[in-house]
Amino acid sequence: MHVGGALVVGIGGTASTDRVRALVCTRIGGRAVAVTGGTNDETVRIWDLVSRQATVLSFPDQVDGVLAVTPNRALVVGCGNDVVVLEHNQDW
């Protein structure tokens, strides 16, 4: 589906209902992924670019941006007044 000229890849209710203001593309566990955030719904989505499925991570406050994915696959996220570092696990 296209919205405003952009391809929406969300499947089964995983698409954001707000504008995405942050995007990081990388490889995690050998998989090409896009990490999106910066929405008002307090989530970050890790999109598998082959399967087009997303893992949704919830945060206690608005996500202001996905700052980085480190070489050891930690995810750095701006959330409210904090910077959160999440270590990679098997679920994402």
Side-chain angles (χ1 to χ4, degrees):
M1 167 174 62
H2 285 81
V3 176
L7 176 63
V8 177
V9 296
I11 298 172
T14 58
S16 178
T17 57
D18 195 7
R19 292 181 183 188
V20 172
R21 293 183 283 275
L23 169 70
V24 174
C25 293
T26 189
R27 290 193 169 273
I28 296 176
R31 299 182 338 234
V33 298
V35 183
T36 62
T39 65
N40 293 327
D41 66 1
E42 301 173 350
T43 64
V44 167
R45 288 172 171 75
I46 302 171
W47 295 93
D48 183 309
L49 296 178
V50 174
S51 71
R52 297 175 58 167
Q53 297 294 315
T55 299
V56 180
L57 305 176
S58 295
F59 289 82
D61 202 348
Q62 177 176 328
V63 174
D64 300 312
V66 179
L67 306 175
V69 177
T70 67
N72 64 345
R73 301 181 291 195
L75 180 62
V76 182
V77 175
C79 177
N81 293 326
D82 298 313
V83 174
V84 179
V85 178
L86 301 171
E87 292 185 19
H88 178 260
N89 68 33
Q90 295 301 326
D91 294 331
W92 67 271

